[in-house]
Amino acid sequence: MTQAFDIVVVGAGMVGAALATGLGQAGFNVAVVDRAPPPSFNPDERPDIRVSALSAGSERYLDSLGAWQAIRQMRATPYRRLAVWDETRHPLQTLIPGRLAEVAFDASELGAPHLGHIVENAITQQALWQSAEAQPSVTLIHGQGVASLQQDEHSATVTLDDGQTLTAALIIGADGARSRVRELAGIGTTRNQYSQQAMVISVRYQGPVEDITWQGFLPSGPRAFLPLHTAGDNHPRESWASLVWYDAPDELTHLKSLDDAELMAEIQSGFPADLPPLTHIDRKASFPIARQHAKHYFAGRVVLAGDAAHTINPLAGQGVNLGFQDAQCLQMLLREAKRAGDDLSSERWLARYEQQRRPANRRMMMTMDLFYHLFSNRIPPVHLLRNLGLGAARALPFARNRVARYAMGIDDELPPVVRQLAARLPGLGQL
C-alpha cells in the first residue's frame, strides 16, 4: 500500500515533531515516521535523565506551535542566573586579587524574566506530539523505521520496515546523529570525537528548587548543575536536579562503579561548595561526545535538520535550540515555496535553507569548541588566558551580556572577541 503526502518527516523526536506541527499549521499534508512508541508523561514518575536548557528563542518557537503551555503544565524550571567559574589557578594569578575566574549572568541585567528553562526531553517531545496530533493534516506513524529510499524527478519514496511505502515531494531527515535518511541520501559528514565523555546523574538534594545553573571548569573537564523541580509529596523538602560530569572515560567508568553513598561523596567533594547537600542518586549514564557536521544539508529531495545535520559539544545544552532554529527556518522557506507554486525540493529554497543555517550552526559549534579548548587543558598560557578572559568578562558586563544574549537566541552574532579567539585556535576553522 502506498500513501501520498506533501512531506515525510523521518524522526519524531523534539525537532521532527516540531517540524511536523509547524508544517501542519501551514497546511501541508505531512507524515511523521519513528521507530519509538508515542511518548508519555506521568507526574508521579522520576524525571527523565535527558534534559535540555531551552533558550528564550526556543520558548517563543514552541509557543507558536502550541506546545509551550503544555510543557509548562507538565514540568519546566526557569533559571534566572548562570554562574561560570574555573577552580584551577595559574601562579601568575596570585598577582590579581579576588576570585578572578568567576562570571555570573543574571536575567535582570538583560531585562528578561529568566535566561531559559530546564526541561526534560521527554516532556518537550510529549507536548510536541500532542501539538502534531492536533493538526488534521499530520499523520503519525510509530514503530516503523525506513528500510529504503528512492528519488526521481517527480517524487521521493520511502519504504518502511513493514513494507508500506510513502511518497512525497520532500523527505526531511530529523532522525538524529546516526541518521538513516542521511545515509540513504549519500550525504557524508565531518566528525571529531572528543577525548572526554559526559556522565549524567539524576539526583535529589535538600531544599527548594534553585533558580541558578552553574558550570564549573576543571582541566579534566566541565561539571554542571541543572535544577529541575520539587521532588513531590513523598519528599516535600527535596528537589530534583541533573548533574553533568565531563571526564576521561576511565574516570567515568570508576565513578559509575561506585555505590550511591560513595558517588555522592565524590560529587560533594568534586563539585563546588555551593552545591546543595545531596540526598539520593536516582540514575546515571555516560555517553561519548563528538562534533559532527553534514557536508551538505540537502541532496535531491532530501533535506536534513537537527542532529541529522549537526551535533555539537553539549557543553551548554545548545543542541536542541539549534535544531529548533533549523525547523523554524525550514518550515518558513517551505511555506514560501508553496506560495510561489514551486517544487518543495527546488534547489532555490533548499539552498537558501543551507545558506542561512550552516553559518549559524557553525558559529555555535565554534563557540562550544572554543570553550572546550580553553577549559579542557593544562597548558599554562591557555590556562592563564581563559582565567584572564573570565575576569575581563566579570569586569565588562556589556561584553558578558552579549555572550549571554547570543546563547539565549536574542542576538544572532557572536561578540567580536569570541570570534577573534576562535580564529587563533587550531581546528576551529574546519567546521
Side-chain angles (χ1 to χ4, degrees):
M1 177 175 141
T2 300
Q3 300 179 70
F5 298 91
D6 296 325
I7 299 168
V8 172
V9 179
V10 181
M14 294 182 285
V15 174
L19 266 167
T21 301
L23 293 170
Q25 289 175 338
F28 290 101
N29 186 19
V30 182
V32 190
V33 180
D34 200 288
R35 292 184 184 276
S40 61
F41 170 72
N42 183 340
D44 297 323
E45 288 184 350
R46 61 190 182 177
D48 185 2
I49 196 169
R50 300 167 305 159
V51 305
S52 296
L54 299 183
S55 68
S58 291
E59 291 172 24
R60 290 192 298 271
Y61 175 52
L62 292 168
D63 190 48
S64 74
L65 299 177
W68 185 243
Q69 183 177 357
I71 290 172
R72 294 293 303 272
Q73 288 173 346
M74 287 184 277
R75 288 193 294 244
T77 302
Y79 63 97
R80 297 174 178 85
R81 296 172 294 149
L82 168 63
V84 181
W85 69 88
D86 183 345
E87 290 187 336
T88 59
R89 284 183 175 274
H90 184 274
L92 289 179
Q93 281 187 264
T94 57
L95 301 175
I96 306 172
R99 191 174 182 183
L100 184 142
E102 180 176 339
V103 180
F105 300 92
D106 194 310
S108 63
E109 297 178 2
L110 302 175
H114 52 262
L115 296 176
H117 281 77
I118 307 298
V119 185
E120 299 156 56
N121 289 3
I123 286 177
T124 303
Q125 186 184 11
Q126 167 77 357
L128 285 166
W129 266 65
Q130 291 172 355
S131 297
E133 287 176 320
Q135 303 302 317
S137 61
V138 174
T139 300
L140 292 163
I141 302 172
H142 59 84
Q144 297 294 323
V146 172
S148 65
L149 165 70
Q150 292 83 36
Q151 305 185 57
D152 59 36
E153 60 180 314
H154 303 294
S155 65
T157 301
V158 292
T159 302
L160 306 187
D161 292 337
D162 65 357
Q164 68 175 302
T165 56
L166 312 176
T167 65
L170 183 69
I171 309 297
I172 299 177
D175 49 342
R178 299 180 179 180
S179 172
R180 173 69 170 156
V181 170
R182 187 184 66 224
E183 176 189 357
L184 291 171
I187 300 174
T189 63
T190 58
R191 180 180 174 85
N192 179 49
Q193 188 79 40
Y194 297 106
S195 59
Q196 297 171 333
Q197 292 186 1
M199 181 174 178
V200 181
I201 311 164
S202 183
V203 301
R204 289 201 308 262
Y205 62 90
Q206 289 180 9
V209 178
E210 300 275 345
D211 73 345
I212 184 171
T213 69
W214 52 255
Q215 191 101 44
F217 290 101
L218 292 84
S220 58
R223 299 174 192 178
F225 170 85
L226 306 174
L228 292 175
H229 51 83
T230 57
D233 295 339
N234 293 332
H235 307 279
R237 298 182 180 179
E238 296 178 346
S239 301
W240 286 102
S242 178
L243 299 179
V244 188
W245 187 316
Y246 295 81
D247 217 315
D250 289 348
E251 178 61 21
L252 295 189
T253 298
H254 165 68
L255 292 174
K256 285 193 294 183
S257 72
L258 301 177
D259 62 32
D260 288 355
E262 292 171 330
L263 182 54
M264 280 194 287
E266 287 281 346
I267 292 171
Q268 297 284 182
S269 64
F271 278 66
D274 307 61
L275 187 74
L278 303 185
T279 60
H280 177 76
I281 288 180
D282 181 66
R283 285 184 285 179
K284 54 196 174 189
S286 64
F287 52 90
I289 56 176
R291 181 189 75 207
Q292 180 173 282
H293 211 174
K295 293 181 178 179
H296 308 283
Y297 280 16
F298 68 97
R301 294 184 175 276
V302 172
V303 64
L304 306 177
D307 283 357
H310 47 79
T311 61
I312 67 173
N313 193 311
L315 194 62
Q318 291 296 316
V320 71
N321 295 314
L322 290 182
F324 286 148
Q325 291 168 24
D326 289 352
Q328 197 168 11
C329 177
L330 182 57
Q331 68 190 47
M332 178 190 69
L333 290 171
L334 291 175
R335 284 199 303 266
E336 292 297 316
K338 182 180 181 181
R339 278 202 277 280
D342 288 345
D343 187 331
L344 297 181
S345 69
S346 167
E347 185 172 346
R348 171 189 175 189
W349 300 102
L350 298 187
R352 283 179 63 181
Y353 165 68
E354 179 158 1
Q355 288 163 6
Q356 291 182 35
R357 292 307 308 151
R358 179 177 286 278
N361 291 328
R362 182 182 175 277
R363 281 195 298 271
M364 185 59 76
M365 296 169 82
M366 178 181 70
T367 304
M368 293 304 101
D369 262 24
L370 172 64
F371 276 89
Y372 177 82
H373 284 289
L374 285 180
F375 292 111
S376 299
N377 66 77
R378 294 179 171 83
I379 302 172
V382 177
H383 186 203
L384 178 61
L385 171 66
R386 70 176 183 241
N387 288 333
L388 291 172
L390 283 177
R394 187 181 65 171
L396 299 171
F398 175 76
R400 178 186 69 199
N401 291 342
R402 284 284 307 279
V403 175
R405 290 175 63 87
Y406 176 73
M408 290 171 63
I410 297 172
D411 290 346
D412 293 330
E413 291 294 330
L414 280 170
V417 65
V418 177
R419 295 199 301 269
Q420 291 166 10
L421 276 172
R424 297 174 184 175
L425 287 176
L428 296 192
Q430 307 302 315
L431 298 176

Short mmCIF file of all heavy atoms in Angstrom, two decimals, residues 91-144:
data_model
loop_
_atom_site.label_atom_id
_atom_site.label_comp_id
_atom_site.label_asym_id
_atom_site.label_seq_id
_atom_site.Cartn_x
_atom_site.Cartn_y
_atom_site.Cartn_z
N PRO A 91 49.99 30.25 38.63
CA PRO A 91 50.73 31.08 39.62
C PRO A 91 50.66 32.57 39.36
O PRO A 91 50.61 33.36 40.29
CB PRO A 91 52.16 30.55 39.48
CG PRO A 91 52.01 29.14 39.02
CD PRO A 91 50.80 29.13 38.13
N LEU A 92 50.63 33.00 38.10
CA LEU A 92 50.58 34.43 37.82
C LEU A 92 49.30 35.07 38.32
O LEU A 92 49.24 36.28 38.52
CB LEU A 92 50.73 34.68 36.32
CG LEU A 92 52.12 34.42 35.72
CD1 LEU A 92 52.10 34.68 34.23
CD2 LEU A 92 53.16 35.30 36.39
N GLN A 93 48.26 34.25 38.54
CA GLN A 93 47.01 34.83 39.00
C GLN A 93 47.12 35.37 40.42
O GLN A 93 46.27 36.14 40.84
CB GLN A 93 45.90 33.79 38.95
CG GLN A 93 45.33 33.58 37.57
CD GLN A 93 44.13 32.68 37.63
OE1 GLN A 93 44.26 31.49 37.41
NE2 GLN A 93 43.00 33.23 37.94
N THR A 94 48.13 34.96 41.15
CA THR A 94 48.28 35.50 42.51
C THR A 94 48.56 37.00 42.47
O THR A 94 48.41 37.68 43.49
CB THR A 94 49.45 34.78 43.22
OG1 THR A 94 50.64 34.94 42.46
CG2 THR A 94 49.14 33.30 43.38
N LEU A 95 48.97 37.51 41.29
CA LEU A 95 49.19 38.94 41.17
C LEU A 95 47.88 39.72 41.14
O LEU A 95 47.86 40.93 41.29
CB LEU A 95 49.97 39.24 39.88
CG LEU A 95 51.34 38.57 39.75
CD1 LEU A 95 51.92 38.86 38.37
CD2 LEU A 95 52.28 39.07 40.85
N ILE A 96 46.77 38.99 40.90
CA ILE A 96 45.47 39.65 40.75
C ILE A 96 44.60 39.25 41.93
O ILE A 96 44.31 38.07 42.12
CB ILE A 96 44.80 39.23 39.43
CG1 ILE A 96 45.76 39.50 38.27
CG2 ILE A 96 43.48 39.96 39.24
CD1 ILE A 96 45.28 38.95 36.95
N PRO A 97 44.20 40.19 42.77
CA PRO A 97 43.43 39.83 43.96
C PRO A 97 42.01 39.40 43.60
O PRO A 97 41.49 39.71 42.54
CB PRO A 97 43.40 41.13 44.77
CG PRO A 97 43.52 42.21 43.74
CD PRO A 97 44.41 41.64 42.67
N GLY A 98 41.38 38.70 44.55
CA GLY A 98 39.97 38.32 44.40
C GLY A 98 39.83 37.02 43.64
O GLY A 98 40.76 36.45 43.09
N ARG A 99 38.58 36.55 43.60
CA ARG A 99 38.27 35.32 42.88
C ARG A 99 38.02 35.68 41.43
O ARG A 99 36.89 35.87 40.99
CB ARG A 99 37.04 34.66 43.50
CG ARG A 99 36.81 33.25 42.98
CD ARG A 99 35.67 32.60 43.73
NE ARG A 99 35.47 31.23 43.28
CZ ARG A 99 34.50 30.44 43.72
NH1 ARG A 99 33.66 30.89 44.62
NH2 ARG A 99 34.38 29.21 43.27
N LEU A 100 39.11 35.77 40.67
CA LEU A 100 39.04 36.37 39.35
C LEU A 100 38.24 35.52 38.37
O LEU A 100 37.49 36.05 37.57
CB LEU A 100 40.46 36.59 38.84
CG LEU A 100 40.64 37.29 37.50
CD1 LEU A 100 41.84 38.20 37.57
CD2 LEU A 100 40.86 36.27 36.40
N ALA A 101 38.43 34.21 38.42
CA ALA A 101 37.85 33.34 37.41
C ALA A 101 36.41 32.98 37.75
O ALA A 101 36.06 31.85 37.98
CB ALA A 101 38.68 32.08 37.25
N GLU A 102 35.54 33.99 37.77
CA GLU A 102 34.13 33.74 38.06
C GLU A 102 33.27 34.76 37.33
O GLU A 102 33.58 35.95 37.29
CB GLU A 102 33.87 33.83 39.56
CG GLU A 102 32.43 33.58 39.94
CD GLU A 102 32.23 33.58 41.45
OE1 GLU A 102 33.22 33.38 42.17
OE2 GLU A 102 31.10 33.81 41.88
N VAL A 103 32.23 34.30 36.71
CA VAL A 103 31.31 35.17 35.99
C VAL A 103 29.90 34.77 36.35
O VAL A 103 29.59 33.58 36.46
CB VAL A 103 31.49 35.04 34.45
CG1 VAL A 103 30.52 35.97 33.73
CG2 VAL A 103 32.91 35.34 34.05
N ALA A 104 29.02 35.74 36.56
CA ALA A 104 27.61 35.46 36.82
C ALA A 104 26.77 36.19 35.80
O ALA A 104 26.96 37.38 35.56
CB ALA A 104 27.23 35.88 38.24
N PHE A 105 25.86 35.48 35.17
CA PHE A 105 24.90 36.07 34.25
C PHE A 105 23.56 36.13 34.97
O PHE A 105 23.13 35.15 35.57
CB PHE A 105 24.76 35.22 32.98
CG PHE A 105 26.04 35.05 32.22
CD1 PHE A 105 26.87 33.96 32.46
CD2 PHE A 105 26.42 35.97 31.25
CE1 PHE A 105 28.05 33.80 31.76
CE2 PHE A 105 27.60 35.81 30.55
CZ PHE A 105 28.41 34.73 30.81
N ASP A 106 22.90 37.28 34.90
CA ASP A 106 21.64 37.47 35.62
C ASP A 106 20.61 38.01 34.64
O ASP A 106 20.87 38.97 33.90
CB ASP A 106 21.84 38.46 36.77
CG ASP A 106 20.68 38.44 37.75
OD1 ASP A 106 19.52 38.56 37.30
OD2 ASP A 106 20.93 38.34 38.96
N ALA A 107 19.42 37.38 34.64
CA ALA A 107 18.38 37.79 33.70
C ALA A 107 17.99 39.25 33.89
O ALA A 107 17.66 39.95 32.92
CB ALA A 107 17.15 36.90 33.88
N SER A 108 18.05 39.74 35.13
CA SER A 108 17.64 41.11 35.38
C SER A 108 18.54 42.11 34.64
O SER A 108 18.08 43.18 34.24
CB SER A 108 17.66 41.40 36.89
OG SER A 108 18.98 41.29 37.40
N GLU A 109 19.82 41.75 34.43
CA GLU A 109 20.73 42.64 33.72
C GLU A 109 20.43 42.67 32.22
O GLU A 109 20.87 43.57 31.51
CB GLU A 109 22.17 42.19 33.94
CG GLU A 109 22.62 42.28 35.39
CD GLU A 109 24.04 41.78 35.58
OE1 GLU A 109 24.67 41.41 34.57
OE2 GLU A 109 24.51 41.75 36.72
N LEU A 110 19.71 41.66 31.75
CA LEU A 110 19.35 41.59 30.33
C LEU A 110 17.94 42.10 30.08
O LEU A 110 17.45 42.07 28.95
CB LEU A 110 19.46 40.15 29.83
CG LEU A 110 20.82 39.46 29.98
CD1 LEU A 110 20.72 38.01 29.55
CD2 LEU A 110 21.87 40.19 29.17
N GLY A 111 17.26 42.52 31.14
CA GLY A 111 15.88 42.97 31.00
C GLY A 111 14.94 41.83 30.67
O GLY A 111 13.92 42.02 30.01
N ALA A 112 15.28 40.61 31.12
CA ALA A 112 14.46 39.43 30.83
C ALA A 112 13.99 38.80 32.14
O ALA A 112 14.67 38.89 33.16
CB ALA A 112 15.28 38.41 30.03
N PRO A 113 12.83 38.13 32.13
CA PRO A 113 12.35 37.48 33.35
C PRO A 113 13.18 36.26 33.73
O PRO A 113 13.21 35.86 34.89
CB PRO A 113 10.90 37.09 33.01
CG PRO A 113 10.88 36.99 31.52
CD PRO A 113 11.85 38.01 31.02
N HIS A 114 13.83 35.64 32.76
CA HIS A 114 14.66 34.46 33.03
C HIS A 114 15.62 34.27 31.85
O HIS A 114 15.45 34.87 30.78
CB HIS A 114 13.79 33.21 33.22
CG HIS A 114 12.80 32.99 32.11
ND1 HIS A 114 11.49 33.36 32.19
CD2 HIS A 114 12.96 32.47 30.86
CE1 HIS A 114 10.87 33.06 31.07
NE2 HIS A 114 11.73 32.52 30.24
N LEU A 115 16.62 33.43 32.06
CA LEU A 115 17.58 33.12 31.00
C LEU A 115 17.10 31.98 30.11
O LEU A 115 17.50 31.87 28.95
CB LEU A 115 18.93 32.74 31.60
CG LEU A 115 19.65 33.85 32.39
CD1 LEU A 115 20.92 33.30 33.03
CD2 LEU A 115 19.97 35.04 31.51
N GLY A 116 16.27 31.13 30.67
CA GLY A 116 15.76 29.98 29.93
C GLY A 116 15.06 29.04 30.88
O GLY A 116 14.78 29.37 32.04
N HIS A 117 14.74 27.83 30.40
CA HIS A 117 14.09 26.81 31.22
C HIS A 117 14.84 25.49 31.06
O HIS A 117 15.28 25.15 29.96
CB HIS A 117 12.64 26.58 30.80
CG HIS A 117 11.69 27.63 31.32
ND1 HIS A 117 11.58 28.88 30.76
CD2 HIS A 117 10.79 27.58 32.35
CE1 HIS A 117 10.66 29.57 31.42
NE2 HIS A 117 10.17 28.81 32.38
N ILE A 118 14.98 24.76 32.15
CA ILE A 118 15.47 23.38 32.09
C ILE A 118 14.25 22.48 31.97
O ILE A 118 13.35 22.51 32.82
CB ILE A 118 16.27 23.01 33.36
CG1 ILE A 118 17.39 24.03 33.61
CG2 ILE A 118 16.86 21.60 33.20
CD1 ILE A 118 18.41 24.14 32.52
N VAL A 119 14.20 21.68 30.91
CA VAL A 119 13.03 20.84 30.63
C VAL A 119 13.51 19.44 30.27
O VAL A 119 14.47 19.28 29.52
CB VAL A 119 12.18 21.41 29.48
CG1 VAL A 119 10.90 20.57 29.31
CG2 VAL A 119 11.82 22.87 29.73
N GLU A 120 12.84 18.44 30.81
CA GLU A 120 13.14 17.06 30.44
C GLU A 120 12.79 16.86 28.96
O GLU A 120 11.74 17.30 28.49
CB GLU A 120 12.33 16.11 31.31
CG GLU A 120 12.63 16.23 32.80
CD GLU A 120 11.46 15.75 33.66
OE1 GLU A 120 11.04 14.59 33.47
OE2 GLU A 120 10.97 16.54 34.48
N ASN A 121 13.66 16.16 28.24
CA ASN A 121 13.42 15.93 26.82
C ASN A 121 12.10 15.21 26.57
O ASN A 121 11.39 15.52 25.60
CB ASN A 121 14.57 15.13 26.21
CG ASN A 121 15.84 15.94 26.10
OD1 ASN A 121 15.91 17.10 26.52
ND2 ASN A 121 16.88 15.33 25.56
N ALA A 122 11.75 14.25 27.42
CA ALA A 122 10.52 13.50 27.23
C ALA A 122 9.29 14.40 27.31
O ALA A 122 8.29 14.18 26.63
CB ALA A 122 10.42 12.38 28.27
N ILE A 123 9.36 15.43 28.16
CA ILE A 123 8.24 16.35 28.30
C ILE A 123 8.11 17.23 27.05
O ILE A 123 7.00 17.42 26.52
CB ILE A 123 8.41 17.21 29.57
CG1 ILE A 123 8.11 16.34 30.80
CG2 ILE A 123 7.53 18.45 29.53
CD1 ILE A 123 8.32 17.05 32.11
N THR A 124 9.22 17.75 26.56
CA THR A 124 9.18 18.55 25.33
C THR A 124 8.64 17.73 24.18
O THR A 124 7.79 18.19 23.40
CB THR A 124 10.57 19.09 25.00
OG1 THR A 124 11.08 19.86 26.11
CG2 THR A 124 10.55 19.97 23.77
N GLN A 125 9.10 16.49 24.06
CA GLN A 125 8.64 15.63 22.97
C GLN A 125 7.16 15.31 23.12
O GLN A 125 6.41 15.33 22.14
CB GLN A 125 9.46 14.35 22.93
CG GLN A 125 9.14 13.48 21.71
CD GLN A 125 9.88 12.16 21.72
OE1 GLN A 125 10.49 11.78 22.70
NE2 GLN A 125 9.81 11.44 20.61
N GLN A 126 6.72 15.03 24.34
CA GLN A 126 5.30 14.73 24.58
C GLN A 126 4.42 15.90 24.15
O GLN A 126 3.40 15.72 23.47
CB GLN A 126 5.09 14.41 26.06
CG GLN A 126 3.63 14.39 26.53
CD GLN A 126 2.90 13.12 26.14
OE1 GLN A 126 3.47 12.26 25.45
NE2 GLN A 126 1.66 13.00 26.55
N ALA A 127 4.79 17.12 24.54
CA ALA A 127 3.99 18.29 24.19
C ALA A 127 3.95 18.49 22.68
O ALA A 127 2.91 18.87 22.12
CB ALA A 127 4.55 19.52 24.89
N LEU A 128 5.08 18.25 22.01
CA LEU A 128 5.12 18.43 20.56
C LEU A 128 4.33 17.35 19.83
O LEU A 128 3.72 17.62 18.79
CB LEU A 128 6.57 18.47 20.08
CG LEU A 128 7.30 19.77 20.40
CD1 LEU A 128 8.80 19.63 20.22
CD2 LEU A 128 6.77 20.91 19.52
N TRP A 129 4.32 16.13 20.34
CA TRP A 129 3.47 15.08 19.75
C TRP A 129 2.01 15.48 19.85
O TRP A 129 1.23 15.31 18.92
CB TRP A 129 3.71 13.75 20.45
CG TRP A 129 4.74 12.88 19.78
CD1 TRP A 129 6.07 13.16 19.63
CD2 TRP A 129 4.52 11.62 19.15
NE1 TRP A 129 6.69 12.13 18.97
CE2 TRP A 129 5.77 11.17 18.67
CE3 TRP A 129 3.41 10.80 18.99
CZ2 TRP A 129 5.92 9.95 18.00
CZ3 TRP A 129 3.55 9.58 18.33
CH2 TRP A 129 4.80 9.17 17.83
N GLN A 130 1.62 16.01 21.01
CA GLN A 130 0.23 16.44 21.17
C GLN A 130 -0.11 17.54 20.17
O GLN A 130 -1.20 17.55 19.59
CB GLN A 130 0.01 16.94 22.60
CG GLN A 130 0.08 15.85 23.66
CD GLN A 130 0.04 16.40 25.08
OE1 GLN A 130 0.05 17.61 25.30
NE2 GLN A 130 0.00 15.51 26.06
N SER A 131 0.83 18.48 19.98
CA SER A 131 0.61 19.56 19.02
C SER A 131 0.51 19.03 17.60
O SER A 131 -0.33 19.48 16.80
CB SER A 131 1.74 20.59 19.10
OG SER A 131 1.78 21.20 20.37
N ALA A 132 1.36 18.05 17.26
CA ALA A 132 1.32 17.46 15.93
C ALA A 132 0.01 16.70 15.71
O ALA A 132 -0.63 16.81 14.65
CB ALA A 132 2.52 16.53 15.72
N GLU A 133 -0.40 15.93 16.72
CA GLU A 133 -1.65 15.16 16.59
C GLU A 133 -2.86 16.06 16.44
O GLU A 133 -3.88 15.66 15.86
CB GLU A 133 -1.83 14.26 17.82
CG GLU A 133 -0.89 13.06 17.84
CD GLU A 133 -1.03 12.24 19.11
OE1 GLU A 133 -1.18 12.82 20.19
OE2 GLU A 133 -1.00 10.99 18.99
N ALA A 134 -2.77 17.29 16.95
CA ALA A 134 -3.89 18.23 16.85
C ALA A 134 -4.04 18.80 15.44
O ALA A 134 -5.06 19.43 15.14
CB ALA A 134 -3.70 19.37 17.85
N GLN A 135 -3.05 18.57 14.57
CA GLN A 135 -3.12 19.07 13.20
C GLN A 135 -3.80 18.03 12.31
O GLN A 135 -3.30 16.91 12.16
CB GLN A 135 -1.72 19.38 12.66
CG GLN A 135 -0.92 20.37 13.49
CD GLN A 135 -1.63 21.70 13.62
OE1 GLN A 135 -2.18 22.22 12.64
NE2 GLN A 135 -1.61 22.26 14.82
N PRO A 136 -4.93 18.36 11.70
CA PRO A 136 -5.66 17.36 10.89
C PRO A 136 -4.84 16.81 9.73
O PRO A 136 -5.09 15.67 9.29
CB PRO A 136 -6.87 18.16 10.37
CG PRO A 136 -7.01 19.31 11.30
CD PRO A 136 -5.63 19.65 11.76
N SER A 137 -3.87 17.57 9.23
CA SER A 137 -3.12 17.13 8.04
C SER A 137 -1.83 16.39 8.39
O SER A 137 -1.02 16.12 7.50
CB SER A 137 -2.80 18.33 7.15
OG SER A 137 -1.98 19.26 7.85
N VAL A 138 -1.63 16.06 9.67
CA VAL A 138 -0.43 15.34 10.10
C VAL A 138 -0.78 13.91 10.47
O VAL A 138 -1.71 13.67 11.27
CB VAL A 138 0.26 16.05 11.29
CG1 VAL A 138 1.43 15.21 11.82
CG2 VAL A 138 0.76 17.43 10.88
N THR A 139 -0.05 12.95 9.90
CA THR A 139 -0.23 11.52 10.21
C THR A 139 1.01 11.02 10.93
O THR A 139 2.13 11.13 10.40
CB THR A 139 -0.43 10.71 8.91
OG1 THR A 139 -1.60 11.19 8.23
CG2 THR A 139 -0.60 9.22 9.23
N LEU A 140 0.83 10.48 12.13
CA LEU A 140 1.95 9.95 12.92
C LEU A 140 2.02 8.44 12.77
O LEU A 140 1.03 7.73 13.01
CB LEU A 140 1.78 10.32 14.40
CG LEU A 140 1.92 11.83 14.71
CD1 LEU A 140 1.32 12.15 16.06
CD2 LEU A 140 3.37 12.24 14.67
N ILE A 141 3.19 7.95 12.35
CA ILE A 141 3.40 6.51 12.17
C ILE A 141 4.54 6.10 13.09
O ILE A 141 5.68 6.51 12.89
CB ILE A 141 3.75 6.18 10.71
CG1 ILE A 141 2.66 6.66 9.76
CG2 ILE A 141 3.99 4.68 10.55
CD1 ILE A 141 3.02 6.56 8.28
N HIS A 142 4.23 5.30 14.13
CA HIS A 142 5.28 4.89 15.07
C HIS A 142 5.52 3.39 14.98
O HIS A 142 4.71 2.63 14.44
CB HIS A 142 4.91 5.31 16.49
CG HIS A 142 3.63 4.73 17.00
ND1 HIS A 142 3.55 3.47 17.55
CD2 HIS A 142 2.38 5.25 17.04
CE1 HIS A 142 2.32 3.23 17.92
NE2 HIS A 142 1.57 4.29 17.62
N GLY A 143 6.66 2.98 15.51
CA GLY A 143 7.02 1.57 15.47
C GLY A 143 7.60 1.13 14.14
O GLY A 143 7.76 -0.08 13.90
N GLN A 144 7.95 2.07 13.27
CA GLN A 144 8.48 1.75 11.95
C GLN A 144 9.71 2.59 11.65
O GLN A 144 9.76 3.78 11.97
CB GLN A 144 7.43 2.02 10.86
CG GLN A 144 6.19 1.17 10.95
CD GLN A 144 6.48 -0.29 10.70
OE1 GLN A 144 7.33 -0.64 9.86
NE2 GLN A 144 5.80 -1.17 11.41
#
